[in-house]
């Protein structure tokens, strides 16, 4: 179904940030498109495309996806949205693509493949689904423990040399792995979970990225809706919603985490903002505050949620505001891990 692009403010109204010392300049907020195809229950295709159009119209230039989101569905969705968007918006759009996850027909995950031949194979399929001649930022979703990271990023660097990829990124890697990868090829950015209740990167990973001139694209800035202000204690999740098995959404953990959200709500109301806007604005503020380039990815699946997230750009947090927010939601206050144990084991960033 073709959706007519919406009319929203001119694209130059959004501030921009560079992804590290060598990466592209992008809008200060990016759009994470995963939820339009996978892991959060059923989505509306027409509304998803309309949301991408509205994002482009508003000046969002960075669209983030993965070839395994819906087993190619998300890339095809983005291709359709770009194909039906105005030419100027289409030309401004940059794609950030993750690869490497191995799936079953039933939708299960069986590991990651970072072999050079596999990297180039994944890229060939992504380019075909996206209907593009290049990918702007390409990254393995999780480190393949059986393949040195130097080999994996070296293969992406060869794709850069061939013109199929513009920039090399990484996802969920620790400080040591980040250093090793950076000896092979320039790394534009590290995509990693970063939010008020997921702050472990501040100890080693963020300082290392800053030292190496590597940007941060922060996903999970609303912790999958947990700290959006919209998640309720009695909400029933669809059987295929990832959050149904996420530790932070279970039983007593959920109650304690939503207590944190209630504290944040009081601060948001005092600023004339929503809870989601305060949470996104806090992540936005960490770039200048910590001397690193931080670009939050918002996972909006609907235009109203997108509009709310974009409103975070108008929220100004001074030192007193940031201190109050962090007093209300201290580092380490979240109850439960961010993934089930089996998935945590795949995170090089947590080792």
């Amino acid at each position: 179904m073709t959706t007519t692009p919406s009319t929203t403010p001119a694209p130059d109204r959004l501030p921009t940030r560079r992804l590290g010392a060598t990466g592209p300049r992008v809008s200060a907020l990016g759009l994470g498109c995963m939820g339009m195809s996978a892991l959060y229950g059923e989505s509306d295709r027409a509304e998803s495309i309309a949301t991408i159009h509205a994002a482009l119209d508003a000046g969002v230039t960075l669209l983030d996806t993965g070839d395994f989101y819906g087993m190619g569905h998300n890339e095809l969705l983005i291709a359709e949205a770009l194909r039906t968007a105005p030419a100027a918006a289409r030309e401004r759009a940059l794609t950030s693509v993750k690869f490497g996850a191995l799936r079953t027909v039933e939708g299960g995950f069986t590991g990651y493949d970072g072999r050079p031949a596999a990297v180039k194979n994944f890229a060939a399929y992504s380019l075909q689904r996206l209907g593009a001649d290049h990918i702007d930022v390409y990254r393995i979703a999780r480190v393949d423990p059986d393949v040195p990271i130097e080999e994996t990023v070296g293969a992406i660097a060869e794709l850069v040399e061939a013109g199929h990829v513009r920039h090399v990124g990484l996802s969920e890697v620790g400080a040591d792995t980040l250093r090793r990868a950076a000896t092979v090829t320039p790394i534009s950015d590290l995509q990693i979970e970063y939010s008020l209740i997921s702050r472990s990167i501040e100890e080693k990973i963020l300082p290392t990225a800053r030292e190496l001139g590597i940007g941060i694209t922060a996903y999970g800035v609303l912790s999958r809706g947990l700290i959006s202000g919209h998640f309720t204690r009695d909400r029933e999740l669809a059987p295929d919603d990832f959050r149904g098995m996420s530790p932070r959404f279970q039983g007593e953990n959920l109650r304690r985490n939503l207590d944190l959200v209630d504290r944040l709500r009081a601060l948001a109301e005092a600023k004339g903002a929503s809870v989601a806007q305060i949470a996104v604005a806090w992540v936005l503020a960490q770039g200048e505050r910590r001397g690193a380039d931080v670009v939050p990815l918002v996972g909006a699946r609907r235009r109203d949620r997108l509009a709310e997230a974009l409103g975070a750009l108008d929220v100004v947090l001074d030192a007193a505001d940031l201190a109050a927010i962090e007093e209300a939601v201290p580092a380490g206050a979240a109850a439960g891990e961010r993934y089930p144990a089996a998935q945590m084991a795949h995170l090089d960033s947590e080792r």
Side-chain angles (χ1 to χ4, degrees):
M1 178 177 179
T2 300
T3 305
T4 302
S6 61
T7 301
T8 51
D12 59 1
R13 80 173 183 86
L14 291 191
T16 62
R17 295 180 177 181
R18 184 171 296 282
L19 293 184
T22 63
R25 181 164 289 278
V26 301
S27 51
L29 283 180
L31 181 64
C33 300
M34 180 188 74
M36 297 175 180
S37 300
L39 297 182
Y40 295 136
E42 188 175 352
S43 61
D44 183 295
R45 185 180 187 86
E47 180 60 24
S48 295
I49 291 173
T51 300
I52 295 173
H53 284 162
L56 295 172
D57 238 8
V60 172
T61 62
L62 183 64
L63 302 179
D64 184 76
T65 185
D67 63 9
F68 52 94
Y69 293 166
M71 284 84 131
H73 177 278
N74 204 238
E75 290 178 318
L76 292 170
L77 183 77
I78 289 173
E80 181 178 349
L82 291 175
R83 190 170 60 250
T84 54
R90 182 167 59 249
E91 290 168 6
R92 288 192 300 268
L94 303 176
T95 53
S96 167
V97 180
K98 291 178 289 300
F99 69 88
L102 303 176
R103 306 290 303 270
T104 65
V105 174
E106 295 75 21
F109 287 84
T110 59
Y112 296 89
D113 193 344
R115 295 172 301 148
V119 172
K120 295 174 182 179
N121 180 77
F122 287 130
Y125 279 76
S126 284
L127 287 167
Q128 178 68 24
R129 285 188 291 262
L130 289 167
D133 62 5
H134 72 274
I135 295 166
D136 292 288
V137 187
Y138 201 47
R139 70 187 88 241
I140 190 165
R142 301 287 186 269
V143 173
D144 180 345
D146 297 323
V147 178
I149 194 63
E150 292 88 347
E151 293 183 17
T152 300
V153 297
I156 305 176
E158 291 178 6
L159 289 169
V160 173
E161 291 175 5
H164 304 310
V165 168
R166 295 282 169 82
H167 303 279
V168 182
L170 286 169
S171 177
E172 286 289 355
V173 305
D176 291 342
T177 303
L178 198 57
R179 287 188 185 281
R180 288 169 51 199
T183 65
V184 176
T185 187
I187 306 297
S188 68
D189 66 305
L190 168 63
Q191 188 173 121
I192 195 163
E193 186 164 353
Y194 189 33
S195 73
L196 266 170
I197 62 172
S198 295
R199 296 177 57 184
S200 61
I201 74 167
E202 293 175 352
E203 183 179 354
K204 293 181 180 179
I205 296 174
L206 194 54
T208 301
R210 181 175 63 242
E211 175 193 338
L212 298 174
I214 296 171
I216 299 290
T217 40
Y219 76 88
V221 293
L222 296 179
S223 196
R224 298 164 183 84
L226 182 59
I227 59 173
S228 67
H230 300 298
F231 204 93
T232 59
R233 289 170 171 78
D234 59 353
R235 179 170 174 178
E236 292 187 10
L237 297 171
D240 57 347
D241 192 316
F242 159 81
R243 293 170 293 189
M245 60 179 182
S246 173
R248 289 183 175 174
F249 288 83
Q250 305 303 311
E252 180 63 14
N253 285 350
L254 177 62
R255 187 193 67 77
R256 289 171 55 192
N257 290 331
L258 290 181
D259 285 346
L260 296 175
V261 175
D262 288 339
R263 296 185 204 168
L264 198 58
R265 194 184 309 277
L267 295 173
E269 290 174 353
K271 291 288 292 184
S274 71
V275 174
Q277 288 169 342
I278 287 291
V280 175
W282 180 88
V283 178
L284 278 164
Q286 302 315 301
E288 182 175 347
R289 188 183 187 196
R290 298 179 185 278
D293 300 308
V294 178
V295 175
L297 299 172
V298 295
R301 301 197 294 172
R302 300 181 347 220
R303 282 168 285 181
D304 59 338
R305 294 288 192 253
L306 171 68
E308 180 183 23
L310 289 174
L313 291 165
D314 298 322
V315 177
V316 178
L317 301 177
D318 60 23
D321 293 324
L322 292 169
I325 290 168
E326 290 165 17
E327 182 179 357
V329 185
E337 297 284 2
R338 55 193 179 107
Y339 287 105
Q343 294 183 36
M344 288 293 290
H346 288 294
L347 297 179
D348 180 81
S349 55
E350 295 289 337
R351 293 175 189 153

